Amino acid sequence: MATDGDQRDGLRVIAGRYRLEKRLGRGGMGVVWRAADQLLGRQVAVKELTVDDALSDDDARLRRERTLREAQAVAQLHHPHIIVVHDVVEDGGRPYIVMELIDGGSLADRISRRGPVDVGEAARIGIALLSALRTAHEAGVLHRDIKPANVLVEAGTGRVVLTDFGIAQVAGATTLTETGSFVGSPEYTAPERMSGARSGPPSDLWSLGALLCAALSGESPFRRDSLGGILHAVVSDEIRPPAQAEPLLPVVRGLLERDPERRLGAAEAELMLRGFLETGAVTGGAGTAQSAAAASYTPTERDVPWPPPPEPAAPPVPSSTRGPLVAALLVAAVAGAGVSAAMLLFHEGGGAAPGPGATTAVSASHPSDSAATTGPPSATTPPASSGTPPPATTRPRTAPSGYRLARDPAGFALAVPEGFTRDPQGERVFYMSPGQTFRLGIRLSETQTGGPGGVLRRAAAEGPSTNPGYHDGRVTDTTHSGHPAAFWEFTWKGFSAAEGPRHTYDLCWEEDGRLYDVWVSAPVGKVREAREYFDVAVDTFTAT
């Protein structure tokens, strides 16, 4: 074994005091050891932080200083659900953090061995972590890597402990990991961090929302087969909490709100979870519009985190730059790995892409591949659709019986069935039936190369990636109220076995220099109702 510090009994001793006895685990930031504090005669955990040999001596020194300074700040946090930091030392030019030793495994280990936890246990874990985060945030410390692997559960007592502040950020300080690369676990990382925007306490709360889903179902709702798929799911895909989260849905949906300004706060979320443990139902937090609205959720209203604001909130990153930013993040994440991934920033059921160049394939080993999907659409005539485009009619200003006219703050109005509720998802707006059986989506954007037909054909080409089990997809050129349009119809297997196969109708058209996209997705056994909802939505759609 390579040695630093003194040698005693064949084991490494650091700072003349801590004898490293057994390696407990390894993470992205270093190695954790079981150690003996020879001065106080107790068992401790020692985290040996990784040193980048590629850094210059000056950069390595600055990194060590930042590491020690931030670890010292975390050591000032005193909370029963935050790991206790006993000491911060340097030995042989390498920083070490000495912490309490928790007799018990991580939440990730528990899920792996015994399966997901029940809803009561998830609420208990959530309460503990929310209380811990409130203390950390009040002290100006962000965790930035909340995930099941960084939550310990003490054997015997069940005490929940938030650990591994190794990539934490202290307010007013340059973070120890600030080297121009992304740090964290993508499945649990907030969209504003993915998009390169400044992060704050709400980013940790997003991660906690994903953690609650993982605790209840066994995996994060943003888990995908590739890094590109994960980034797409976090930044722009439809958010689908697992069915097991339904009793806590107001909290989960509130924490997984993409706009950090509208995300549920820690105090409100904690109060709602405590109410669930006491009464068996989620109750509201104290005083905020978000918590009051979230508390009004029922299992049949699971599709909307809370009512939309009077004016649309600006996204954390302009839509014109979101694609390049995420693509740049993906390049950084896979650089040197020799792998490639695609950012597929589409809505469920394809439709209009986010903008020119937003669908970008990048490869660390083959940079020339990055432009593979940015060329003009194919001129090949698509096969005739088995369905028919919606008729071009004069758009009524009133809603038919059984519908209501929704005047959306995103800049449009249309008739939606009674009982459908609004769920904004980044650049898209959804109106969904109870239980999300029917999903009506709308997206407004700038015109794109190839017009509506080019947009939908590019989306259809990516159909197998964006819609699992995609088949029988057909794009047909048409018109809508005299404007160029394209109609896309396809079937796919749904996002889960419980959801089952689904069918999608999608119409994209140009009008007055803008691109409009309206689609409806529904189970294959309910296509007649879906087509009615789709036709009414298209026929009544107006820009406002």
Side-chain angles (χ1 to χ4, degrees), residues 142-462:
L142 305 179
H143 189 282
R144 301 204 305 160
D145 197 23
I146 294 171
K147 59 185 178 182
N150 287 339
V151 175
L152 303 179
V153 182
E154 191 171 44
T157 67
R159 175 184 166 219
V160 176
V161 182
L162 181 59
T163 187
D164 205 348
F165 282 79
I167 66 168
Q169 183 174 17
V170 179
T174 301
T175 176
L176 68 117
T177 54
E178 198 168 283
T179 60
S181 61
F182 175 79
V183 180
S185 305
E187 290 179 45
Y188 298 92
T189 299
E192 62 268 21
R193 285 194 63 214
M194 288 289 198
S195 299
R198 186 177 181 85
S199 61
S203 298
D204 280 347
L205 297 177
W206 168 283
S207 302
L208 180 56
L211 179 145
L212 288 175
C213 292
L216 287 162
S217 69
E219 65 179 23
S220 162
F222 306 106
R223 178 168 296 180
R224 300 293 187 271
D225 292 336
S226 67
L227 177 58
I230 293 172
L231 299 183
H232 166 56
V234 170
V235 173
S236 65
D237 203 359
E238 183 178 352
I239 299 172
R240 296 174 172 277
Q244 297 91 329
E246 187 161 314
L248 302 181
L249 202 60
V251 178
V252 171
R253 279 287 194 181
L255 295 173
L256 295 181
E257 162 61 51
R258 281 201 172 97
D259 183 351
E261 296 296 324
R262 299 180 64 223
R263 199 166 295 153
L264 193 63
E268 293 80 14
E270 183 180 344
L271 188 60
M272 293 164 74
L273 290 178
R274 289 188 184 279
F276 174 80
L277 289 184
E278 292 172 1
T279 67
V282 172
T283 57
T288 67
Q290 291 96 329
S291 62
S296 68
Y297 252 101
T298 67
T300 60
E301 297 170 332
R302 58 177 295 182
D303 39 291
V304 181
W306 42 68
E311 296 294 333
V317 180
S319 60
S320 60
T321 61
R322 178 178 294 174
L325 275 172
V326 177
L329 171 61
L330 182 58
V331 173
V334 302
V339 297
S340 63
M343 290 314 301
L344 305 172
L345 303 184
F346 294 145
H347 57 56
E348 179 222 55
T359 305
T360 306
V362 295
S363 171
S365 56
H366 302 286
S368 61
D369 292 345
S370 63
T373 62
T374 59
S378 169
T380 303
T381 301
S385 171
S386 61
T388 56
T393 61
T394 302
R395 301 173 203 172
R397 297 286 182 175
T398 59
S401 177
Y403 292 74
R404 63 181 177 86
L405 189 62
R407 301 186 184 277
D408 197 279
F412 62 86
L414 80 171
V416 301
E418 295 285 357
F420 276 43
T421 47
R422 183 179 189 267
D423 187 358
Q425 299 277 346
E427 296 178 342
R428 305 158 302 164
V429 176
F430 284 90
Y431 285 86
M432 302 190 192
S433 67
Q436 300 186 6
T437 302
F438 298 93
R439 299 193 282 267
L440 165 62
I442 306 97
R443 183 178 183 277
L444 282 61
S445 63
E446 302 300 322
T447 58
Q448 298 179 34
T449 303
V455 167
L456 291 192
R457 288 188 180 93
R458 288 193 292 273
E462 300 292 351

Side-chain angles (χ1 to χ4, degrees), residues 34 186 357 389 476-477 510:
R34 176 189 291 270
T476 305
D477 291 319
E510 284 184 5

Side-chain angles (χ1 to χ4, degrees), residues 61-130:
R61 177 181 55 80
L62 291 174
R63 176 69 66 82
R64 289 195 301 273
E65 291 176 355
R66 288 197 295 267
T67 300
L68 296 175
R69 183 173 65 248
E70 293 181 16
Q72 288 162 355
V74 174
Q76 303 307 308
L77 301 177
H78 300 290
H79 191 280
H81 299 296
I82 294 178
I83 194 78
V84 175
V85 176
H86 294 310
D87 200 358
V88 181
V89 299
E90 187 174 1
D91 190 287
R94 187 181 297 266
Y96 296 82
I97 301 175
V98 183
M99 303 169 289
E100 67 172 318
L101 181 66
I102 302 296
D103 181 16
S106 70
L107 178 59
D109 294 335
R110 177 176 174 175
I111 294 170
S112 176
R113 293 194 309 267
R114 296 159 51 187
V117 305
D118 62 36
V119 67
E121 178 68 356
R124 187 185 74 86
I125 291 170
I127 290 168
L129 296 179
L130 285 163

